[in-house]
Amino acid sequence: MARKISFKLGLSGRIFFIAVAVCTLGIALTSGYGMYRAIGEFDRLATASVDSAFRVFRDVLSQYGKDYRLVDGKMMIGDFTVTAEDTAATDRVTAATGAVMSILVGDTRVSTSLRFPDGKRQTGTKLVDGPIKTQVLIEGKSYRGTSNSQGTLYYVAYEPIKDASGKVIGAIGLGMLAKNFMEAMDVIVWQQGAIALGMLVLSGLSLWFALGREVKRLAVLRDRIEAVEAGDVQSTVAYTERVDEIGSLARAVDSFRRATVDRQAAMAEAAHEAEQTQQRQKQLEAATAQFSGEMEGLSKSIGQAAEFLLKRVDDLRSSVTAAEHNSRTILNTAETASTNVGTVAAAAEELSGSIRDISRQMARAADTAGRGVSEAVSTNATV
């Protein structure tokens, strides 16, 4: 199985081959159009040369006379009889113009400078059936075009020969070798081909050199992008001052670099802010823990103080109750023992009043202590 061969071209290679193809097409079209115009110009020159030679041939024949006629099957021009042996007229024109000349009686060449490849004149040869014979001998019209004789191409011109009555009795013909023009055409073709090839090679080399320079600049920008991605954001970007596409791309790369710098700065600032927030969080947690410990100790202290105060209030209530009971017992005893002693009774009454005042004061102190305990309990719950 044949191996499949593939070629991977870079951007410069693709642009180069596309440009070369376009240049080749343009040069080919230009050369083709030039060749088309050249061929048309050579046809025009060939026709003009044929017409010029034909006028010379007419002038040479006019020296023999103006009227053409057939006498005993022979062509007469004035008093001159056209024969195969007398080729002075045709040879003279051929020597002067390079064209071959023929005088035809009917469709047969009588006097001619046209020769076979072996050098013999083509006297007695006939016009082949075709547009020349039809147009000149039958229709009586002039003919301009090309003709192939013995494998050789000629630019030809034929005009009918008419007698005094207007009857077509023959023709005069002229032919110029087409290769004389074709050789000049070949030279032009080779010259145009060489010029086109030189232009293509020069264009290709110039394009390759220019593309190479631009691709190197693109490679520099690519390396700069990779460097920015790797962390090198301080180095400057080249070609930002250019006003072409390379400059636009360079400015875009520089914008990417500056955006990376801003992003890194924002990330560093965010990391610093996060670190500070974490530190504040830790400080808050430590302060909260310390405050919780202090409040727990304070709550315990307040609870212990409240319990101690409640106990003392209870003890005080017990003492007051006992004192009141003792006072009443003493009063009863005093009243029973000495109802007649007014002074003692009055004193006892005063003592009883004082004890009542003390009892009321102790009761208020107990209420105050109770409210303090309640407030301590409420404060403890709040904490």
Side-chain angles (χ1 to χ4, degrees), residues 191-343:
Q191 289 177 346
Q192 283 195 345
I195 293 172
L197 182 61
M199 290 176 59
L200 183 61
V201 171
L202 182 61
S203 300
L205 291 176
S206 301
L207 182 61
W208 183 259
F209 177 73
L211 281 176
R213 293 185 61 186
E214 298 305 320
V215 169
K216 285 181 180 179
R217 294 187 176 99
L218 291 175
V220 170
L221 295 178
R222 179 203 61 200
D223 294 340
R224 191 68 194 90
I225 292 174
E226 292 177 352
V228 171
E229 292 177 345
D232 181 12
V233 295
Q234 301 303 323
S235 300
T236 58
V237 179
Y239 313 128
T240 54
E241 72 283 356
R242 292 175 60 126
V243 296
D244 56 2
E245 289 77 6
I246 296 293
S248 299
L249 183 59
R251 287 188 288 274
V253 173
D254 190 57
S255 298
F256 171 67
R257 180 188 66 82
R258 286 186 276 106
T260 303
V261 172
D262 295 340
R263 185 172 64 253
Q264 289 180 352
M267 292 174 62
E269 183 178 357
H272 179 68
E273 184 66 25
E275 183 179 358
Q276 289 184 342
T277 301
Q278 188 176 8
Q279 290 179 355
R280 288 195 295 269
Q281 183 67 26
K282 290 181 179 179
Q283 292 174 357
L284 181 60
E285 290 176 355
T288 302
Q290 182 180 1
F291 179 73
S292 297
E294 292 177 355
M295 291 304 297
E296 185 177 357
L298 180 60
S299 177
K300 290 181 179 179
S301 298
I302 292 174
Q304 292 174 356
E307 290 178 358
F308 177 77
L309 184 59
L310 287 175
K311 185 177 180 182
R312 290 295 175 270
V313 170
D314 289 339
D315 291 343
L316 184 58
R317 283 180 177 175
S318 298
S319 298
V320 171
T321 302
E324 186 178 4
H325 179 71
N326 291 333
S327 295
R328 288 177 180 175
T329 301
I330 292 171
L331 180 58
N332 290 332
T333 303
E335 288 178 354
T336 303
S338 180
T339 56
N340 294 321
V341 182
T343 303

